[in-house]
Amino acid sequence: MVSLVRSLFLVSAVFAAPVAAQAVQFPSTAQGQLAAGFFSAVNSPDEEALVRFQDANFSEAALKRRSREQRQALARQLRDQAGSITLEEIRSSGSSQLVAIARGSNLPANMRLTITFTFSGSPPKIDGVQIT
């Protein structure tokens, strides 16, 4: 009887234990590394980090679409509105596109950002980032 009670206790303890939340990670691909770098640059205390990241990792076509000053203004706007961003989910990932869901420290708790990265070239470069 004692061993049955002990067994039942162990079974109930296993089923009652909370499941540890797994940290969401970017895919271990070149595209995933680029997206992770974007998040790091946005979250950097250095205001120039995102523009430097863009200079190094965006396609030539993407860099021509906006001047450095325009990109700097957009980076400032993103930081002001969203704050630091935290990855919550990878919705999809492929060679030409990665869709990430994130939350922002300055946003309401129930609000999420959908950040869509498009890629081109070999090795891939970021061709665009859309945040909705």
Side-chain angles (χ1 to χ4, degrees), residues 36-53 75 79 83-85:
F38 178 87
F39 272 61
S40 292
V42 168
N43 293 334
S44 172
D46 178 2
E47 280 198 21
E48 289 288 315
L50 185 55
V51 176
R52 283 194 308 273
F53 174 82
R79 280 199 181 102
S84 62
I85 56 175

Side-chain angles (χ1 to χ4, degrees), residues 100-112:
I101 307 300
R103 63 182 161 83
S105 63
N106 291 351
L107 299 175
N110 64 343
M111 185 175 187
R112 297 296 179 264

Side-chain angles (χ1 to χ4, degrees), residues 56-67:
N57 297 291
F58 276 38
S59 69
E60 198 173 313
L63 293 173
K64 287 181 180 179
R65 278 187 225 120
R66 289 195 173 91
S67 70

Side-chain angles (χ1 to χ4, degrees):
M1 179 70 174
V2 171
S3 80
L4 177 62
V5 171
R6 222 180 269 153
S7 295
L8 288 174
F9 175 75
L10 287 173
V11 169
S12 67
V14 168
F15 286 109
V19 176
Q22 272 191 326
V24 178
Q25 296 183 0
F26 288 96
S28 58
T29 62
Q31 292 81 354
Q33 290 174 354
L34 287 167
F38 178 87
F39 272 61
S40 292
V42 168
N43 293 334
S44 172
D46 178 2
E47 280 198 21
E48 289 288 315
L50 185 55
V51 176
R52 283 194 308 273
F53 174 82
Q54 292 170 342
D55 289 344
N57 297 291
F58 276 38
S59 69
E60 198 173 313
L63 293 173
K64 287 181 180 179
R65 278 187 225 120
R66 289 195 173 91
S67 70
R68 196 167 207 277
E69 291 76 26
Q70 289 171 318
R71 290 185 285 120
Q72 206 165 26
L74 287 171
R76 196 172 303 113
Q77 181 182 3
L78 173 60
R79 280 199 181 102
D80 290 346
Q81 290 178 359
S84 62
I85 56 175
T86 304
L87 178 65
E88 287 206 338
E89 174 187 350
I90 296 295
R91 179 96 14 111
S92 66
S93 177
S95 62
S96 63
Q97 187 179 70
L98 185 147
V99 180
I101 307 300
R103 63 182 161 83
S105 63
N106 291 351
L107 299 175
N110 64 343
M111 185 175 187
R112 297 296 179 264
L113 300 170
T114 300
I115 305 175
T116 303
F117 297 90
T118 54
F119 306 99
S120 64
S122 181
K125 294 270 190 173
I126 297 174
D127 198 44
V129 178
Q130 181 181 12
I131 303 173
T132 55

